[in-house]
Amino acid sequence: MEFYLNPILQGWDRTVKRLFLSKSVRKYALLGVVAWLLDITVGLNLAGRLLFLHVVDGEALAQWSRDAVISSDLNLEEAQRILLGVWAEHGGTILAVAGVFVVIALIAMWVWAHAEFILLHNVINDSAEIVSPWRAYASKANALFIFQVVLNVVVLLVHLGTLLVAGYAIWYFHDNSTLAMTVLLGIMLVVPLQVLLLIVFAYVRVFTFSFVLPLMVRFDMGILEGWSYFGRLFRANVWRFLVFGIFYLGVAIILGVLLGIVAMSSGVFVTKWYGNILQIPYLSALVYLPAAYFFRAYTLDFLSQFDESYRLLPEDE
């Protein structure tokens, strides 16, 4: 158990000492910019979803979903007619919005990739720099960006494939069942596979962030070389890395709850407009900076347990 708990304690200790006990407002403010760059993808994705709901009549779609579940008369042909009507009315706008959203998402992912290496640089060196590491790790960040784009495309295609399976099941059985029953059948077929895929791709993302990026920096290698190197380490320690993923998720949930409580408490005791204030990107980044810093330190300390050659942080501070 110590193998999994010690890195958590070490990571938290480094975070407290470096961010709070150092009492450097300038350092915290600059690292807050890095945290904001890491968070920019989340903000833009939310904006894209809100834009889509603004363009498409969300209430009409919600009403149709309710009717589909409770009505025994609404069959697949009726559902198809409704969806084609929505497409005929909003199809061009949906495509335009989707195109804009894809461009914005790509820009956000590119910025995020650079921010990951900037944070890694600052945690390793106990510094607060932005421009210098942006330039120093530009090629590695671009490789990470391309990797993430390809991974997202693969995830999308796999998920679409499972949905096609569900769609075929609905089409095959719809003559003898209500729409609600055929949709339920599709869900029963797809959900287990979707959950499995979600777990696999979640591990891929966590391993990329936690171990592949540090190995790229430590041994000056590209993203594919980093994954090849990590692959050998993973095969020799499969269960340790799988258990790490469970601990990682547990810590993320605990930190999320604690930061939510802190954010709400500050709003109650500081200002009645806290909800609007915490929606300002940079201010929210300052609140969540300790979590981002902790996870970076935590994963580096965990990696260093496998071999001293992987150590990027001082053993004692």
Side-chain angles (χ1 to χ4, degrees):
M1 188 64 69
E2 290 183 359
F3 190 83
Y4 303 101
L5 292 179
N6 284 343
I8 296 174
L9 299 176
Q10 291 171 344
W12 182 251
D13 186 58
R14 294 181 198 277
T15 302
V16 172
K17 287 180 178 178
R18 294 180 176 188
L19 293 185
F20 300 108
L21 298 185
S22 66
K23 298 179 181 179
S24 173
V25 176
R26 177 180 178 277
K27 178 181 181 180
Y28 198 98
L30 286 174
L31 290 174
V33 175
V34 180
W36 173 71
L37 293 176
L38 287 170
D39 194 51
I40 192 172
T41 304
V42 177
L44 288 174
N45 283 338
L46 177 60
R49 288 194 292 270
L50 291 175
L51 181 59
F52 176 81
L53 291 176
H54 176 73
V55 170
V56 179
D57 189 349
E59 180 58 31
L61 292 179
Q63 182 61 48
W64 172 78
S65 300
R66 289 191 293 267
D67 292 343
V69 173
I70 65 176
S71 174
S72 59
D73 297 327
L74 187 59
N75 54 28
L76 192 64
E77 286 73 17
E78 178 67 11
Q80 183 180 13
R81 186 189 65 78
I82 293 174
L83 290 176
L84 288 176
V86 172
W87 178 257
E89 185 176 354
H90 300 290
T93 306
I94 292 174
L95 288 177
V97 171
V100 172
F101 178 67
V102 168
V103 172
I104 294 175
L106 289 174
I107 295 173
M109 288 176 59
W110 181 76
V111 173
W112 167 86
H114 284 76
E116 285 288 358
F117 280 99
I118 294 173
L119 179 63
L120 178 59
H121 169 86
N122 285 312
V123 173
I124 291 173
N125 298 286
D126 189 14
S127 57
E129 301 175 311
I130 297 177
V131 177
S132 175
W134 181 291
R135 293 173 177 171
Y137 297 107
S139 60
K140 287 181 171 56
N142 289 334
L144 174 61
F145 163 69
I146 295 173
F147 176 82
Q148 283 294 114
V149 171
V150 173
L151 179 62
N152 284 334
V153 171
V154 171
V155 170
L156 177 62
L157 292 177
V158 171
H159 282 310
L160 287 177
T162 60
L163 291 177
L164 286 175
V165 172
Y168 175 78
I170 292 173
W171 173 82
Y172 185 81
F173 291 104
H174 81 279
D175 285 337
N176 300 317
S177 306
T178 64
L179 180 62
M181 291 299 298
T182 51
V183 168
L184 180 61
L185 175 62
I187 292 174
M188 292 174 61
L189 291 172
V190 168
V191 167
L193 183 56
Q194 289 278 4
V195 170
L196 176 61
L197 292 173
L198 179 64
I199 293 173
V200 171
F201 287 122
Y203 266 110
V204 170
R205 293 181 191 278
V206 170
F207 289 161
T208 300
F209 161 80
S210 302
F211 308 120
V212 175
L213 267 62
L215 290 173
M216 291 171 65
V217 171
R218 179 66 182 85
F219 299 110
D220 190 23
M221 57 179 62
I223 184 77
L224 296 182
E225 291 175 287
W227 257 107
S228 176
Y229 196 108
F230 172 71
R232 294 191 293 271
L233 182 61
F234 176 79
R235 287 191 293 272
N237 303 274
V238 173
W239 287 111
R240 283 184 167 181
F241 282 112
L242 293 180
V243 173
F244 162 82
I246 298 173
F247 273 84
Y248 187 99
L249 176 61
V251 173
I253 292 173
I254 294 172
L255 273 182
V257 171
L258 292 176
L259 287 173
I261 292 174
V262 169
M264 291 176 64
S265 300
S266 357
V268 170
F269 292 110
V270 175
T271 170
K272 64 181 180 181
W273 298 290
Y274 74 98
N276 292 328
I277 288 177
L278 288 180
Q279 288 176 14
I280 300 174
Y282 178 68
L283 293 183
S284 64
L286 292 177
V287 174
Y288 298 114
L289 169 61
Y293 200 98
F294 160 76
F295 275 108
R296 186 70 280 173
Y298 159 43
T299 53
L300 289 175
D301 280 318
F302 185 86
L303 179 63
S304 66
Q305 296 180 116
F306 291 95
D307 195 278
E308 277 299 312
S309 64
Y310 303 148
R311 183 171 295 281
L312 289 164
L313 294 173
E315 189 168 359
D316 296 309
E317 289 192 16

